[in-house]
């Protein structure tokens, strides 16, 4: 089974000996207060940041030993900024996800068409990116990652800056990827989103792992009080929880 | 072959013969009454036209690559400081009196370009950081500019002074097959390296982190850019002096006709640069001007500066 495993990751001033074995088929949310090291951990897992100590292993081989293109085929990464420098068409942008593959053109086209269809974007294929709404743009950027058919999908705050309907839709797409066998790892700021959509939550506090487990456990009220120094209560049913302060 | 590239090739097939006929002395292809028409064509105008194509292609493609690399439509190959470095090398050849030996001037210019490239790589090569690279390039450009001014102010005699100043203006007048032989091989090699960088430049459209996650190696890309831009721009400056704005204008003009990926901009920009330089050079030859012909470098700056200003004004809405 494909496993992405961090052992004793240390990045000066950011992470202090974080270990976690991530499994495919799960949506793992990385939570924590500002500056806790969430994005740093994600960048290490994606192979974009070399830790000062410790290592990340993919399927029992050190990630650092993989050639960049091999790593890129296995791990898709969606950064937070969502930058697109040129006004590409949706189709051309999504096709960038195929760059790590030296595949025949027909195969690339099929993968792009499938990624567009998966995220319900086929009718936007010829549109310029600049004409899209925020929600459409977020889906297009996710489709870019899916087009590379990575076994691991790592995303930094993919749900931030989306309205409720788009958050739910995109979270649904991410869960579907996990259900299809991919490993999904997300940095999530909004604890209710993590609670409702993740199957596992890692809580970071000051660069160290403060909790790791199913959301009900890792985001229990006492953990929130300890890590965020906020007294808060969960309301609602499992899968539709809301967090209220006080 | 994409449609814009095909159209540009057709345009070139049309303009190259026309440009050969144009000049102070017009040649009528049907009634070549001038006795030495063949000499004018083969030894004067043809090498000049080929040189315009070579230098223009290099400047156009390196401009497109630079805009892709810096993710900025206002970027220009001059930002790397390689053109000023090459100019400084050429000015040194004049200053120390080596310029009269035909081979040495371009060799000095290429050495200057190589020096600027080495300095760039030394300062920013390990990190592969785009910002550090641009700042280092600007620093090198200022340094080379200052040293060029120093050479002008200390020039040993008025002849050297006037030669330096005239040469810096950039021109293709009185060039020979010899110059073509000097400029073409490094330009071809540089174009090939920029072509190799195309896919990485496409990935860079999504930002540095996303590009790296797609398997782009920043250090490899940086070397391709330094060598590619260095060879094309260095070779251009070596035979034609400083010719600005081509690398800025041409990618802009062709971008709307492509799918806007940096890699699909490279070939049309090379062809467009070749076309622009060929037409501009022919126009310089034909314009009736007291005291000789208009310098190509000046002509393109006169075109380019208002173009740049127009671009800034158009972008101002987005920036403000």
């Amino acid at each position: 089974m494909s496993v992405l495993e961090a052992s004793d990751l240390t990045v000066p001033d950011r992470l202090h000996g974080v270990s976690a074995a991530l499994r495919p088929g799960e949506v793992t949310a990385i939570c924590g207060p500002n500056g806790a090291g969430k994005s740093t951990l994600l960048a290490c897992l994606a192979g974009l940041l070399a830790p000062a100590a410790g290592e990340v292993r993919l399927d029992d081989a050190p990630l650092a030993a993989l050639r960049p293109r091999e790593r890129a085929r296995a791990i898709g990464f969606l950064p937070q900024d969502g930058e697109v420098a040129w006004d590409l068409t949706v189709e051309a942008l999504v096709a960038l996800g195929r760059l790590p593959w030296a595949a025949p053109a027909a195969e690339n086209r099929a993968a792009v068409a499938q990624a567009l269809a998966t995220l319900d974007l086929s009718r936007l294929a010829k549109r310029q990116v600049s004409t899209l709404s925020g929600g459409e743009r977020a889906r297009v950027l996710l489709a870019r990652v899916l087009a590379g058919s990575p076994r691991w999908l790592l995303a930094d705050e993919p749900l931030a800056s989306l309205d409720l309907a788009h958050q739910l839709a995109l979270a649904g797409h991410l869960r579907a990827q996990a259900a299809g066998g991919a490993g999904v790892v997300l940095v999530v700021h909004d604890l209710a989103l993590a609670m409702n959509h993740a199957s596992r939550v890692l809580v970071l506090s000051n660069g160290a792992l403060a909790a790791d487990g199913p959301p009900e456990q890792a985001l229990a009220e006492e953990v929130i009080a300890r890590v965020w120094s906020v007294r808060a209560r969960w309301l609602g049913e499992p899968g539709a929880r809301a967090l209220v302060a006080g | 072959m994409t449609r814009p590239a095909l159209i540009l090739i057709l345009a070139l097939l049309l303009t190259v013969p026309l440009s050969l006929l144009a000049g102070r002395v017009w040649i009528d292809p049907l009634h070549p009454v001038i006795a030495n028409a063949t000499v004018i064509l083969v030894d004067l105008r043809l090498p000049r036209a080929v040189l315009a194509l070579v230098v223009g292609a290099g400047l156009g493609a390196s401009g497109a690559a630079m805009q892709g690399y810096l993710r900025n439509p206002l970027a220009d190959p001059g930002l790397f400081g390689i053109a000023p470095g090459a100019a400084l090398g050429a000015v040194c050849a004049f200053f120390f009196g080596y310029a009269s030996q035909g081979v040495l001037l371009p060799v000095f210019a290429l050495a200057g370009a190589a020096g600027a490239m080495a300095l760039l790589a030394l300062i920013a090569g390990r990190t592969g950081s785009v910002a550090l690279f641009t700042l280092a390039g600007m620093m090198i450009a200022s340094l080379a500019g200052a040293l060029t001014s120093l050479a002008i102010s200390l020039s040993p005699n008025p002849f050297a002074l006037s030669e330096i100043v005239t040469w810096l203006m950039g021109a293709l007048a009185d060039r020979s097959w010899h110059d073509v032989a000097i400029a073409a091989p490094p330009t071809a090699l540089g174009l090939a390296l920029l072509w190799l960088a195309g896919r990485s430049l496409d990935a860079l459209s999504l930002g540095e982190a996303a590009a790296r996650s797609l398997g782009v190696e920043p250090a490899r890309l940086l070397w391709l850019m330094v060598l590619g831009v260095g060879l094309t721009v260095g070779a251009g400056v070596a035979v034609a002096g400083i010719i600005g704005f081509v690398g800025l204008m041409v990618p802009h003009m062709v971008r709307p006709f492509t799918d806007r990926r940096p890699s699909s901009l490279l070939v049309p920009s090379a062809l467009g640069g070749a076309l622009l330089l060929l037409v501009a050079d022919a126009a310089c030859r034909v314009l009736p001007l007291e005291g000789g012909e208009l310098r190509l470098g000046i002509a393109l700056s006169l075109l380019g500066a208002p173009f740049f200003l127009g671009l800034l004004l158009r972008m101002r809405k987005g920036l403000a």
Side-chain angles (χ1 to χ4, degrees):
Chain A
M1 192 169 71
S2 173
V3 177
L4 188 60
E5 187 175 9
S7 52
D8 222 12
L9 288 184
T10 301
V11 175
D13 300 327
R14 302 275 184 81
L15 291 180
H16 310 291
V18 173
S19 299
L22 305 171
R23 289 175 290 272
E26 285 188 339
V27 175
T28 304
I30 302 174
C31 299
N34 287 334
K38 302 183 292 291
S39 296
T40 307
L41 175 58
L42 194 75
C44 287
L45 289 170
L48 301 180
L49 182 67
E55 67 170 356
V56 177
R57 298 175 78 85
L58 176 66
D59 302 342
D60 262 339
L63 193 59
L66 283 184
R67 300 214 337 260
R69 272 173 71 168
E70 287 176 53
R71 187 200 66 217
R73 286 176 206 165
I75 303 177
F77 177 75
L78 185 60
Q80 187 180 357
D81 54 21
E83 174 184 346
V84 185
W86 309 104
D87 194 12
L88 306 174
T89 61
V90 167
E91 209 169 31
L93 195 163
V94 172
L96 294 179
R98 296 299 299 169
L99 286 175
W101 298 90
E107 195 178 311
N108 286 337
R109 268 198 303 274
V112 170
Q114 199 194 336
L116 287 171
T118 304
L119 292 177
D120 194 21
L121 291 165
S122 302
R123 72 198 158 78
L124 301 180
K126 305 288 179 200
R127 284 263 294 274
Q128 306 291 130
V129 176
S130 63
T131 65
L132 301 179
S133 72
E136 289 168 339
R137 190 185 168 96
R139 263 164 41 224
V140 168
L141 290 169
L142 178 60
R144 188 276 294 172
V145 181
L146 296 189
S149 13
R151 285 178 286 137
W152 290 89
L153 200 169
L154 275 51
D156 198 348
E157 296 267 17
L159 305 174
S161 77
L162 290 181
D163 65 32
L164 189 60
H166 285 110
Q167 271 183 350
L168 287 175
L170 204 65
H173 288 304
L174 291 167
R175 282 208 311 255
Q177 287 301 310
V184 177
V185 185
L186 314 171
V187 167
V188 182
H189 222 87
D190 185 328
L191 298 184
L193 283 170
M195 180 64 120
N196 293 330
H197 299 288
S199 38
R200 177 181 176 190
V201 175
L202 305 178
V203 177
L204 286 178
S205 175
N206 294 320
L209 207 55
D212 175 4
E216 301 275 349
Q217 187 188 318
L219 290 176
E221 289 162 7
E222 64 89 13
V223 177
I224 295 175
R226 182 157 49 89
V227 173
W228 278 267
S229 311
V230 171
R231 283 187 45 185
R233 279 182 305 130
W234 288 107
L235 302 178
E237 302 297 313
R241 295 263 193 220
L243 188 65
V244 288
Chain B
M1 188 72 58
T2 57
R3 196 167 0 148
L6 273 178
I7 293 173
L8 285 166
I9 287 176
L10 283 178
L12 279 171
L13 287 177
L14 210 71
T15 18
V16 170
L18 280 178
S19 83
L20 293 178
L21 304 180
R24 189 121 307 173
V25 180
W26 285 80
I27 296 174
D28 183 342
L30 301 177
H31 309 283
V33 285
I34 307 159
N36 42 11
T38 325
V39 177
I40 293 182
L41 278 180
V42 176
D43 288 339
L44 294 176
R45 291 194 187 160
L46 196 57
R48 193 170 167 165
V50 173
L51 213 54
L53 297 178
V54 168
V55 174
L59 289 174
S62 59
M66 279 296 282
Q67 294 184 3
Y69 186 61
L70 300 180
R71 282 172 281 152
N72 190 329
L74 299 180
D76 179 273
L79 279 180
F80 271 14
I82 288 169
L88 176 64
V91 167
C92 286
F94 284 114
F95 189 83
F96 296 112
Y98 292 119
S100 48
Q101 289 143 288
V103 198
L104 285 181
L105 175 62
V107 168
F108 266 70
L110 281 174
M117 286 192 276
L119 205 54
L120 261 182
L122 208 66
I123 298 172
R126 274 187 157 184
T127 61
S129 149
V130 174
L132 184 60
F133 210 59
T134 315
L135 290 172
M138 285 171 67
M139 188 276 289
I140 292 168
S142 321
L143 181 65
L147 290 174
T148 302
S149 302
L150 182 70
I152 292 173
S153 67
L154 295 180
S155 67
N157 57 61
F159 301 108
L161 177 72
S162 108
E163 272 184 320
I164 291 175
V165 172
T166 316
W167 188 86
L168 279 177
M169 290 171 190
L172 288 172
D174 307 322
R175 298 304 195 268
S176 65
W177 287 112
H178 187 71
D179 294 292
V180 174
I182 286 170
T187 303
L189 185 60
L191 289 175
L193 292 175
L194 294 178
W195 173 253
L196 284 180
R199 283 163 67 95
S200 300
L201 293 176
D202 287 351
L204 212 53
S205 310
L206 299 166
E208 285 186 69
R212 286 177 54 217
S213 81
L214 283 167
V216 170
E217 296 164 70
R220 175 180 174 271
L221 176 58
L222 188 140
W223 278 106
L224 286 175
M225 287 298 298
V226 174
L227 291 174
V229 173
L231 286 168
T232 49
V233 173
V237 175
V239 294
I242 298 265
I243 295 177
F245 289 107
V246 176
L248 175 77
M249 284 194 285
V250 171
H252 263 284
M253 295 183 194
V254 298
R255 185 173 288 118
F257 304 102
T258 67
D259 66 6
R260 294 165 199 267
R261 277 180 310 144
S263 69
S264 41
L265 203 58
L266 287 173
V267 172
S269 293
L271 294 169
L275 183 65
L276 176 63
L277 223 57
L278 185 73
V279 172
D281 186 50
C284 285
R285 275 205 308 258
V286 173
L287 275 183
L289 210 67
E290 289 289 319
E293 72 178 55
L294 176 60
R295 309 287 294 182
L296 183 59
I298 299 177
L300 280 161
S301 295
L302 288 175
L303 275 178
F307 183 90
F308 187 80
L309 188 64
L311 209 63
L312 265 185
L313 291 177
R314 204 148 30 99
M315 287 176 68
R316 188 170 58 173
K317 283 188 210 119
L319 295 172

